Amino acid sequence: MSISSMFSNKTSRRGFIKFCSYIASALALPASLVPKIAAALERKPRLPVIWYSFQSCSGCTESLSRAHAPTLEDLIFNYLSLDFHDVLQAASGEAAEQACEQSMREHHGRYVLVVEGSIPLGAKGAYSVCNGLSSLEQLSKAAKGAAAIVAIGSCASFGGLARAAPDPTGARSVAELMQDGQIMKKPLVNLPGCPPLPVVISATLAHFIVFGKLPELDGENRPLAFYGNTIHARCSRLSFFLHGQFAESFDDEGARKGWCLFKLGCKGPSTHNACASCKWNGGVSFPIDSGHPCIGCSEPGFWDSKGFYQPIRGNVPLHS
C-alpha cells in the first residue's frame, strides 16, 4: 500500500517517520538508515504473509494484536498482506484454504511463512490435523515456496510447552525439522518467548520488508538486536544485585523495596531477551518490574529448567 493510502488510514507523515525511527532503534540500526527505511516502506508493496498455527495457545497472535508501534491495524493495512491466518482472517473453511493456496501460487518464492506452535510427529501427526493434513504436511508444503520462515514463540522455536518431558506428542521445532530434512531448508529466524514481545515480531518483519533479508542472528537463530543481551544486564534491579540486596520471599521487606529477585529463582542472568528494555504494554512494565522473577521463557527447554523458583547455580555473568 502506498504512502497516500497510509494517509487515508489516518497515519500522518510525522507518525510514519516516528515509526521508522522506532524500528531503526529497536533493531539497533543507525539513525542514518531512517530515510532508507521510510523510502522502502513507501515504495515496496505489502509483504505477503502466510501464518500457520499448530500446537499453540495462540498467545503469540495475542501478543501481535497488542502491538503499539505499529499497531496490528497498521501492520495489516499498510505493511503486510496477511493472506492466511486461521485466527484473524474473516474467511473460513474452503474459502480460507483457497485463499492460502492462491497466495502460495501467486507469491511463490516471495512470501514469508510464519509458524506459531510446535509440530507434533507422534501418532503419525494425528495430534494436530487440519483439512486432512498433519501439521508436518502443511508446513512442508508451505515451506517450499517461502522466501523465509519466521518461527514465532518458544513452541515453534524450540518445542515449548508441548516439548516438555515426557513430550507425549513428539513435538518438534521448525529448526529441528529443517535439520532432519523433513522440511525444505529456508532462511529461518526464531523469535522465542512465551509469548515474544510485539515489537520483536513487527520489527523483524519490517526488517525483511526493507532489506529483503532477515536481521543478524545469534547461535539460536534469534535477532541479535533483541536477544543479544541478557535481561539481567539491562534489568532495573541490577544495582540491587550488585549491592547484594535480595528479596528472600515475595512478601518480605526486600520485595516491598524492589530488591533483586535472584534468590526467588529469577532466570534473567541466563535469559536472552529485550523485556527489560522494550517492556510490555507499550513500554509500561515487564514481569520483574511487577515483582515476579523472569522464568526464562525465551531459552531452549525452559519448561524443564528444574523449577521456576529455584535460584540459578554457579557464577552469574553481569553483561552477556
Side-chain angles (χ1 to χ4, degrees), residues 181-220:
Q182 299 197 59
I183 64 172
M184 186 176 292
K185 288 190 176 182
K186 295 284 182 170
L188 170 68
V189 58
N190 289 327
L191 305 181
C194 201
L197 289 154
V199 66
V200 172
I201 303 172
S202 57
T204 300
L205 293 172
H207 188 283
F208 194 87
I209 295 172
V210 173
F211 300 104
K213 62 180 181 179
L214 299 173
E216 187 178 0
L217 308 176
D218 69 5
E220 298 288 352

Side-chain angles (χ1 to χ4, degrees), residues 68-154:
H68 71 284
T71 64
L72 176 63
E73 293 85 352
D74 278 340
L75 278 171
I76 293 177
F77 292 131
N78 300 321
Y79 310 115
L80 306 178
S81 177
L82 194 56
D83 295 343
F84 182 84
H85 190 305
D86 55 8
V87 174
L88 299 178
Q89 65 193 17
S92 62
E94 291 185 4
E97 294 296 334
Q98 289 172 2
C100 185
E101 293 283 348
Q102 180 179 346
S103 179
M104 285 193 284
R105 287 195 307 270
E106 294 181 355
H107 305 297
H108 187 86
R110 294 188 293 113
Y111 63 82
V112 167
L113 175 60
V114 175
V115 179
E116 179 178 358
S118 60
I119 300 89
L121 301 186
K124 298 181 180 180
Y127 290 105
S128 178
V129 176
C130 183
N131 194 30
L133 298 176
S134 69
S135 294
L136 178 59
E137 290 171 326
Q138 294 177 74
L139 177 58
S140 177
K141 180 179 179 181
K144 292 177 181 177
I149 300 179
V150 180
I152 297 277
S154 291

Side-chain angles (χ1 to χ4, degrees), residues 2 13 18 36 46 65 106 125 131 141 158 181 194 197 208-209 216 225 228 240 252 272 278 288 310:
S2 65
R13 179 68 183 182
K18 183 178 180 181
K36 180 177 180 178
R46 290 186 297 163
S65 72
E106 294 181 355
N131 194 30
K141 180 179 179 181
F158 305 129
C194 201
L197 289 154
F208 194 87
I209 295 172
E216 187 178 0
F240 294 114
D252 68 1
H272 296 79
C278 295
I288 294 175
Q310 298 299 317

